[in-house]
Every structure is written in structure tokens, then in C-alpha cells.
């Protein structure tokens, strides 16, 4: 009953989001059918666009995993943003300043980005455990601190003075992650993301530590009284989440960019929130949720290129989905009636 | 040494303190809003997005009606509507407050650009719209006092409103029925319910009030000194208000001091942009100092709690 109910509710949330989207498109567009066609079916039109969806889902998988883990432990740190951004900056620094053979270079860079990401991820957790500072508040502030630190690092040490805009020098070719399918952007990073999905799934559901994380998240006082070191759980989950996000920034930079040009922090961490929600904080479902959001993203880009509707429409779809999926009481009345009917039926 | 000199010289300028009040205003208004919702027991994470939407609506309405005050009302109303939506999801549909707040922030950052593009054909700023500004006010007697006049007079009208609201919010919590209901609903909802306080309604009202105050902050951003809307112009002020609110711990006067601390840092960073310090470090400073102040505050309360417990157990 519960599983079926969750599925139906998810479907209704999705239907509401689509209805609002359609209404907005019809209200603002002069060619609404072209817009809707490209938004919903655009990515299926060619092999290139379809595999673009996989490529754009990669950073979303990483941030979705990171946030899902943090949410699972009952915390709300948004430091994922800083971890991902700084992971990208570390990648730029190592891809420009160091020379290594092609097989080893990406591995070293990814490890370094993951370590730095983990360190940054630990900061709000440490402040929470030792000073009882709310991790959401400090992480939101630290995102700005690390963003400016990253901009400083790139402009001071890595910038290409001849580029004219904000951009670093070119990365060494040894530091690129190759594509898996020629003519598309489908790259090795996707396999790395899937590997991390499997590792995190095993960590959360098959280890003692994962059990502690789940208990701390679902029932903090029980966790405390049963002897779980909740401080350790808070710090370790956020270190792991930070490392995953740092790795994500690194993979994204090496696979999709030749220079570092993130003048604004990319919104992947905020998109990770919807991935974590849709997947129910379960790593297993993260690639599917990421695929879904990436599909809409690619569709929206095609829509804004081929019609008069802008791709910012996605953020409206995203907000509506998050709101209805997390609304506990949304359709609760319907569920109750169904359950009552079943109970009464059983009586006869 | 040069930098120290620069800082000292800056600190001796009356204009510097004038700018401090100016930078503090939007954060102060939002801090008061955050304080009201937080004391009622719900943390309003959507402040950032609420402020952004209010700033946007203020510019649009003032440009189309050619009246700054109708624009202001539009901004405040927008804040009211957004916080109403948030309240509906949190209180009626039992959504997670943090996640619904994040959803509304996502909606605000994309939605404002989406509509801005529809109206102006640009995604960056509303430069092409003839939007209006709210007036600044000279205070008669204070204006003529040498240094104090330069610091305190001639501010934007919303700066004075925000200072009056500090007293109003303090008074509300201390002496009015609504203020006490809000505190009761936040501190012990069951107890409040048992003596007949409509807890849900009180929480609803508190969230709406926070939206109204944040709407004013949005109006200040886009209709204060700048006179236009640019995408993402709130730049984390809604998040900063969460920190200053936490430092204030429900005390409006402390909330004002915390907001002024942010104003101080922001104003200092504006003045130091031509000094030798790298620009990014200067831009980072306000956020960093708020983190330090907030953490120090948390550490202090924790320490006080521990010593009190120690004393209590030692007394036995």
C-alpha cells in the first residue's frame, strides 16, 4: 500500500508540474506546440542529444548522492556547493600546473579533489559537533567564502591573460576524461559516477556505519541512547559527502571543459536537492532521478534554442516538483479513504 | 602598514558609517522577519528567494504604474504571497521546512529571470525599464549637527522604517498578545494549544509577517539606491539574515547590532576595493566575519549551558 501510494503521489506531483509548465508555456509563447514538443521529446530526436542527457546527469548524480547521504543522517548542510566548486578549481590547478602520464593524471586529480572536498565538507560538521553551530547556516556562508577563494585562485595563478573573459589557461591533454561513444558527450565520468553510486549504496545499506547513519537520521535520540557516536556520524557523513561532491566537480571539469570558466557557482548543488528528494535519499535511485532532471534540462535547452520560451522554466518545474513530493499531507486524505475502504472490505 | 592606514582612514570618515547603515538595512529587515518566524518555531529558509521576488516585483510594478509607493506595496505583497505559499506547504501539507524553502529559492532565482526576459528581452538586469526609487529623508534638526548629521540624516526612508521596526518587533514580543502567542507557539506548541492558543494560525501569521518584512528588504534592494533589478541581486543576504537572526536569539536589539556588524563589514569592503588587498578577499570578508561571530556566539551559549549544569550538579 505504502509503495503504491508513494508511486501514485509521485505521479500526481509530476502531473501537476507538467500542467503548470504547459499553462505557462501557453501563456507566454507564440509557438507553444514547438516549445512543448522540444521540451518533452527534444532529447529523443538524435543520438547526440540523447547521450547529452547522460553527460549532463553526471554532476547531478554526484551532488544528489552527496546531499542524499547528508539528508539521510538527518543533517542539512549545503556545503556540497563549495565542495563541488573547489573540486573544480583543484582540477584546474593540477591540470594546468602538473604534468603526468595520461592514465595517471586524471586519477591523481580526482583523488586530490575528493580529499579537498572532504576537508571542506568537514568544516560545518566540526562547527556543529564542537560549537553547536547550525550546519545549514554556516554552510551557506562558507559557500560564498570558498567561491571567492576559488575565483581568487583562478584569477591570480591560473588565468589566461589573453582570453578577454574569465577563463583559466588550457588544461593538459593528459587530464581529459575521454568519451565512450564517438560523436556524443557520453564520457567515462558516467561510469565513475555509477561506481560511486554502487559504493555509497553498499556503505549506506550493507555496513555497520551505514546502519548508524540511518538510525541517526530517523531517530536521533534512540541513536544516542543505543551508544552510537552521533558526532562521529555527523562528521564522517559530511566528509564523505564532501569528497563525493569534490570528485563530481573534478569529473565534470575534466570531461566537459578545457578551461575553468565557472564565473558563477554552477547550480548543481541546489539541483542535488531535488535528486536527493526524488530518490528518497537512496543511492540506488539517484541515477534515475538525475537522468530525469537532465532530460528536462536538455529538453529545455533545445526548447530555448528552437522556440521563444527560455530554459529558466526548468527551475519552476523543479520547485513545483520538490514542493509536492515532500508534502507529507499531500493526498493524505485520498490514502486514508483507500485504507478505510480496504479495512471495511476485509470485514465482510 | 599601508593597509592598516587605509582602514584607519576609512574608519574616521562619516560617509563610512552612513554606508554602514545603508548596507545593514536589507539585512536588518530580513533579520527581523527571520526572527518572527523562528520564534514561532519555523525557520524560514525561503527568505533569500522571497527577497529576490519582492525586489523584482517592486521594479516591475513601479515601472508600469509610475508610482514608487505602489511598487513598494507590490514588493511587500509579493513577500506576503511567497511566505503564504511556504506556510501552506509547511503547516498544511506538512512539508519539510528547509526543503520547501530551498524549492522556493530555486523558483525565485529562475522565475525572476524567466519573467524579466519576457518583459525586457534581457536576462541580466532591468536597465531598460523606467522603474522608480523610494525617496531619501533629511531629518530636520539632526541634519545640522556636524558628524552625527552626516551619519544619521539623509538616509533612505526604509532605513528609518527598519530602525522603527526594531522597536516595534521588540515591543510586539514583550507586550502584545500576538507576540506572546508567537513565543508560546515556538517554545511549547502543546502547552500553547492546551491553553487555547490557535498554534497553527499563529505560526501562519508569523511566517506571513516575516514575508512582509523580507518584501520590504527586497524593495530596498531594487528601489533604494540602485533603482533597478539585476538577476541574483540578493547575493546571499537572505542566508546572512539566518545567521544574524541566530546570533540575536530572539532579541530585536541584538538583531540590529548583528545586522550593523554585517553593514560594517560590507561598507568596509566597499571602501577597501582600491587598496592592495585582493578583491576576492575583500568580498569574502563579510561572510567570514558573520561565520566567526555566529560560531563564537554558539560556543559561548554552549559554554554557559555547561557551566550552569556543572554548578547545578556541584550544588547537590
Amino acid at each position: 500500500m505504502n509503495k503504491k501510494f508513494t508511486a501514485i503521489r509521485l505521479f500526481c506531483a509530476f502531473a501537476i508540474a507538467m500542467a503548470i509548465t504547459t499553462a505557462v508555456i501557453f501563456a507566454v509563447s507564440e509557438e507553444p506546440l514547438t516549445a512543448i514538443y522540444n521540451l518533452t521529446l527534444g532529447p529523443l530526436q538524435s543520438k547526440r542529444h540523447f547521450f547529452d542527457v547522460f553527460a549532463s546527469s553526471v554532476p547531478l548524480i554526484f551532488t544528489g548522492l552527496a546531499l542524499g547521504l547528508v539528508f539521510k543522517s538527518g543533517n542539512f548542510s549545503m556545503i556540497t556547493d563549495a565542495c563541488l566548486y573547489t573540486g573544480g578549481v583543484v582540477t584546474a590547478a593540477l591540470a594546468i600546473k602538473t604534468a603526468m602520464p595520461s592514465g595517471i593524471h586524471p586519477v591523481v586529480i580526482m583523488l586530490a579533489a575528493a580529499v579537498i572536498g572532504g576537508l571542506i565538507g568537514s568544516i560545518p560538521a566540526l562547527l556543529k559537533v564542537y560549537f553547536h553551530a547550525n550546519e545549514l547556516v554556516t554552510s551557506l556562508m562558507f559557500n560564498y567564502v570558498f567561491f571567492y577563494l576559488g575565483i581568487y585562485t583562478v584569477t591570480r595563478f591560473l588565468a589566461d591573460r589573453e582570453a578577454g573573459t574569465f577563463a583559466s589557461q588550457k588544461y593538459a591533454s593528459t587530464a581529459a576524461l575521454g568519451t565512450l561513444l564517438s560523436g556524443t558527450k557520453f564520457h567515462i565520468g558516467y561510469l565513475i559516477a555509477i561506481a560511486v553510486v554502487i559504493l555509497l549504496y553498499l556503505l549506506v545499506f550493507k555496513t555497520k556505519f551505514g546502519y548508524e547513519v540511518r538510525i541517526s537520521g530517523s531517530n536521533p535520540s534512540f541513536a544516542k541512547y543505543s551508544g552510537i557516536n552521533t558526532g562521529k556520524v555527523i562528521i564522517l557523513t559530511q566528509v564523505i559527502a564532501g569528497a563525493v561532491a569534490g570528485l563530481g566537480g573534478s569529473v565534470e571539469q575534466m570531461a566537459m571543459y578545457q578551461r575553468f570558466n565557472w564565473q558563477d557557482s554552477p547550480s548543481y548543488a541546489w539541483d542535488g536537492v531535488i535528486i536527493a528528494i526524488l530518490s528518497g535519499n537512496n543511492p540506488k535511485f539517484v541515477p534515475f532521478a538525475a537522468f530525469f532532471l537532465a532530460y528536462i534540462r536538455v529538453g529545455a535547452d533545445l526548447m530555448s534554442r528552437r522556440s521563444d520560451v527560455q530554459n529558466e522554466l526548468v527551475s519552476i518545474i523543479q520547485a513545483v516538483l520538490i514542493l509536492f513530493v515532500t508534502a507529507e499531507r499531500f493526498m493524505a486524505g485520498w490514502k486514508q479513504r483507500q485504507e478505510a475502504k480496504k479495512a471495511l472490505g476485509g470485514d465482510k | 602598514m599601508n593597509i592598516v592606514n587605509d582602514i584607519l582612514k576609512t574608519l574616521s570618515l562619516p560617509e563610512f558609517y552612513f554606508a554602514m547603515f545603508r548596507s545593514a538595512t536589507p539585512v536588518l529587515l530580513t533579520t527581523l522577519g527571520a526572527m518572527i518566524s523562528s520564534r514561532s518555531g519555523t525557520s524560514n529558509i525561503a527568505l533569500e528567494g522571497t527577497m529576490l521576488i519582492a525586489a523584482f516585483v517592486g521594479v516591475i510594478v513601479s515601472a508600469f504604474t509610475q508610482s514608487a509607493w505602489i511598487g513598494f506595496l507590490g514588493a511587500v505583497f509579493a513577500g506576503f504571497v511567497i511566505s503564504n505559499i511556504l506556510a501552506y506547504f509547511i503547516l498544511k501539507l506538512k512539508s519539510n521546512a528547509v526543503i520547501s524553502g530551498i524549492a522556493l529559492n530555486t523558483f525565485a532565482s529562475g522565475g525572476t529571470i524567466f519573467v524579466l526576459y519576457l518583459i525586457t528581452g534581457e536576462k541580466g538586469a532591468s536597465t531598460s525599464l523606467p522603474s522608480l526609487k523610494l525617496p531619501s529623508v533629511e531629518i530636520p534638526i539632526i541634519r545640522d549637527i556636524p558628524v552625527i548629521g552626516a551619519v544619521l540624516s539623509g538616509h533612505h526612508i526604509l532605513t528609518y522604517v527598519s530602525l522603527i521596526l526594531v522597536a516595534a518587533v521588540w515591543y510586539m514580543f514583550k507586550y502584545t498578545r500576538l507576540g506572546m502567542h508567537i513565543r508560546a507557539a515556538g517554545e511549547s506548541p502543546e502547552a500553547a494549544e492546551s491553553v487555547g492558543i490557535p498554534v497553527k494560525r499563529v505560526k501562519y501569521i508569523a511566517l506571513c509577517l516575516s514575508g512582509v518584512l523580507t518584501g520590504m528588504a527586497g524593495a530596498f534592494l531594487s528601489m533604494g539606491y540602485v533603482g533597478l533589478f539585476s538577476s541574483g541581486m540578493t547575493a546571499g543576504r537572505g542566508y546572512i539574515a539566518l545567521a544574524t537572526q541566530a546570533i540575536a536569539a530572539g532579541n530585536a536589539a541584538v538583531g540590529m547590532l548583528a545586522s550593523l556588524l554585517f553593514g560594517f563589514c560590507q561598507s568596509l569592503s566597499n571602501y577597501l576595493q582600491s587598496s592592495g588587498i585582493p578583491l576576492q578577499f575583500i568580498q569574502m570578508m563579510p561572510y567570514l566575519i558573520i561565520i566567526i561571530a555566529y560560531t563564537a556566539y554558539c560556543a559561548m551559549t554552549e559554554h554557559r549551558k555547561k557551566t550552569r549544569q556543572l554548578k547545578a550538579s556541584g550544588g547537590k
Side-chain angles (χ1 to χ4, degrees):
Chain A
M1 186 66 200
N2 243 335
K3 253 192 191 148
K4 187 181 144 206
F5 174 65
T6 314
I8 289 175
R9 212 176 62 170
L10 208 62
F11 177 78
C12 284
F14 182 74
I16 292 175
M18 280 324 281
I20 293 179
T21 311
T22 315
V24 170
I25 290 177
F26 268 96
V28 305
S29 174
E30 278 166 16
E31 35 185 354
L33 293 178
T34 323
I36 291 173
Y37 176 71
N38 280 300
L39 176 65
T40 51
L41 298 174
L44 298 178
Q45 283 164 356
S46 74
K47 183 180 139 200
R48 187 163 65 93
H49 291 139
F50 184 68
F51 281 100
D52 276 359
V53 175
F54 283 97
S56 359
S57 77
V58 171
L60 301 175
I61 293 178
F62 282 107
T63 55
L65 286 173
L67 284 166
L69 182 65
V70 174
F71 291 172
K72 192 104 201 158
S73 74
N75 289 284
F76 280 101
S77 171
M78 284 307 297
I79 198 74
T80 306
D81 185 29
C83 298
L84 182 117
Y85 190 83
T86 313
V89 174
V90 168
T91 305
L94 291 178
I96 292 166
K97 296 286 181 186
T98 62
M100 270 176 255
S102 58
I104 302 168
H105 209 173
V107 177
V108 172
I109 292 176
M110 283 191 285
L111 283 177
V115 169
I116 300 280
L119 286 176
I120 295 173
S122 74
I123 299 173
L126 289 170
L127 293 182
K128 171 165 184 153
V129 172
Y130 289 106
F131 301 115
H132 291 253
N134 182 300
E135 76 281 6
L136 181 64
V137 172
T138 51
S139 64
L140 290 169
M141 302 282 109
F142 271 117
N143 284 344
Y144 286 93
V145 172
F146 283 104
F147 168 68
Y148 286 122
L149 201 63
I151 295 275
Y152 171 75
T153 313
V154 173
T155 42
R156 177 82 174 69
F157 302 107
L158 308 170
D160 185 349
R161 304 275 168 229
E162 284 150 26
T165 54
F166 176 80
S168 75
Q169 295 154 34
K170 268 197 155 181
Y171 298 163
S173 58
T174 47
L177 289 179
T179 53
L180 289 167
L181 217 62
S182 58
T184 68
K185 286 191 209 147
F186 188 51
H187 56 77
I188 296 171
Y190 194 79
L191 300 183
I192 300 172
I194 296 299
V196 178
V197 167
I198 296 169
L199 283 178
L200 276 190
Y201 176 76
L202 294 177
L203 178 80
V204 173
F205 289 101
K206 304 289 172 196
T207 65
K208 178 166 163 274
F209 175 69
Y211 180 70
E212 290 178 351
V213 170
R214 282 179 287 145
I215 295 291
S216 308
S218 59
N219 194 345
S221 29
F222 175 72
K224 213 183 229 168
Y225 290 121
S226 60
I228 291 172
N229 184 344
T230 45
K232 191 187 96 183
V233 170
I234 292 173
I235 295 170
L236 267 183
T237 46
Q238 295 191 32
V239 167
I240 296 170
V244 169
L247 181 63
S250 166
V251 166
E252 180 68 3
Q253 277 296 325
M254 287 194 288
M256 305 292 276
Y257 296 83
Q258 262 112 46
R259 304 162 178 276
F260 187 91
N261 62 357
W262 282 346
Q263 199 163 10
D264 297 305
S265 187
S267 67
Y268 298 132
W270 300 101
D271 302 335
V273 175
I274 187 175
I275 308 290
I277 302 292
L278 288 178
S279 67
N281 301 337
N282 185 340
K284 203 163 60 173
F285 299 125
V286 164
F288 301 101
F291 181 87
F292 165 72
L293 185 62
Y295 185 93
I296 299 184
R297 279 282 153 85
V298 173
D301 280 341
L302 290 172
M303 171 182 75
S304 72
R305 237 180 293 154
R306 294 176 185 166
S307 77
D308 55 353
V309 182
Q310 296 305 300
N311 54 4
E312 274 80 12
L313 185 65
V314 174
S315 63
I316 300 174
I317 305 178
Q318 227 166 304
V320 172
L321 266 180
I322 301 181
L323 282 174
F324 280 101
V325 172
T326 57
E328 224 171 76
R329 299 290 302 168
F330 171 53
M331 292 175 58
W334 180 82
K335 184 187 179 190
Q336 212 168 16
R337 272 199 301 280
Q338 292 290 317
E339 274 168 354
K341 221 187 263 171
K342 210 175 167 192
L344 289 176
D347 259 349
K348 272 174 198 170
Chain B
M1 256 354 260
N2 229 343
I3 290 163
V4 176
N5 272 338
D6 270 356
I7 294 177
L8 286 178
K9 212 174 89 194
T10 310
L11 291 183
S12 66
L13 295 170
E15 295 90 355
F16 169 79
Y17 296 97
F18 183 87
M20 173 178 87
F21 276 98
R22 190 176 71 190
S23 313
T25 303
V27 174
L28 175 54
L29 286 165
T30 317
T31 305
L32 293 175
M35 189 178 291
I36 297 176
S37 69
S38 151
R39 284 211 104 170
S40 81
T42 349
S43 53
N44 186 347
I45 306 293
L47 295 169
E48 176 80 5
T50 311
M51 203 189 321
L52 193 63
I53 290 178
F56 178 70
V57 171
V59 160
I60 300 296
V61 173
S62 79
F64 282 100
T65 59
Q66 282 303 306
S67 154
W69 286 107
I70 297 180
F72 173 73
L73 286 181
V76 171
F77 185 70
F80 175 75
V81 169
I82 297 296
S83 55
N84 236 305
I85 296 174
L86 183 71
Y88 181 78
F89 274 94
I90 295 178
L91 300 172
K92 274 269 163 58
L93 295 181
K94 296 264 184 270
S95 296
N96 179 304
V98 175
I99 290 171
S100 323
I102 290 175
L104 284 177
N105 291 341
T106 307
F107 170 77
S109 63
T112 48
I113 299 177
F114 187 77
V115 181
L116 182 67
Y117 183 85
L118 283 181
I119 296 173
T120 66
E122 284 168 69
K123 285 189 176 184
S126 69
T127 19
S128 57
L129 285 176
S131 67
L132 301 174
K133 295 185 203 173
L134 292 165
S136 297
V137 182
E138 298 279 341
I139 308 177
I141 302 161
I142 294 178
R143 180 180 53 188
D144 303 324
I145 308 172
V147 178
I148 296 170
V151 176
L152 291 182
S153 177
H155 276 288
H156 193 268
I157 187 154
L158 287 180
T159 303
Y160 296 117
V161 170
S162 72
L163 293 175
I164 295 167
L165 280 171
V166 171
V169 168
W170 177 82
Y171 181 85
M172 179 185 86
F173 279 134
K174 191 125 191 171
Y175 295 111
T176 67
R177 214 181 144 86
L178 176 66
M180 279 179 222
H181 283 186
I182 289 178
R183 275 162 49 198
E187 271 161 35
S188 170
E190 289 90 3
E193 196 92 59
S194 72
V195 294
I197 297 174
V199 170
K200 237 184 203 173
R201 201 168 74 203
V202 168
K203 287 189 172 191
Y204 220 105
I205 294 172
L207 269 177
C208 290
L209 280 178
S210 84
V212 166
L213 287 168
T214 311
M216 287 186 195
F220 179 85
L221 283 182
S222 65
M223 305 172 66
Y225 292 86
V226 197
L228 64 87
F229 174 85
S230 58
S231 62
M233 75 186 306
T234 44
R237 285 184 182 84
Y239 300 137
I240 284 174
L242 292 177
T244 47
Q245 179 275 130
I247 296 173
N251 187 330
V254 182
M256 182 180 75
L257 292 180
S259 309
L260 284 176
L261 173 69
F262 174 78
F264 182 87
C265 299
Q266 182 89 46
S267 170
L268 193 62
S269 79
N270 286 340
Y271 272 89
L272 291 182
Q273 294 207 342
S274 55
S275 72
I277 312 169
L279 177 68
Q280 289 82 16
F281 285 108
I282 291 169
Q283 289 170 318
M284 177 196 305
M285 186 186 60
Y287 300 98
L288 202 56
I289 290 188
I290 290 292
I291 296 176
I292 294 170
Y294 172 58
T295 312
Y297 163 78
C298 292
M300 245 156 53
T301 6
E302 192 57 22
H303 180 73
R304 221 179 292 148
K305 218 195 278 171
K306 269 191 190 146
T307 45
R308 206 177 295 151
Q309 275 169 358
L310 223 63
K311 248 185 211 163
S313 60
K316 275 173 193 171

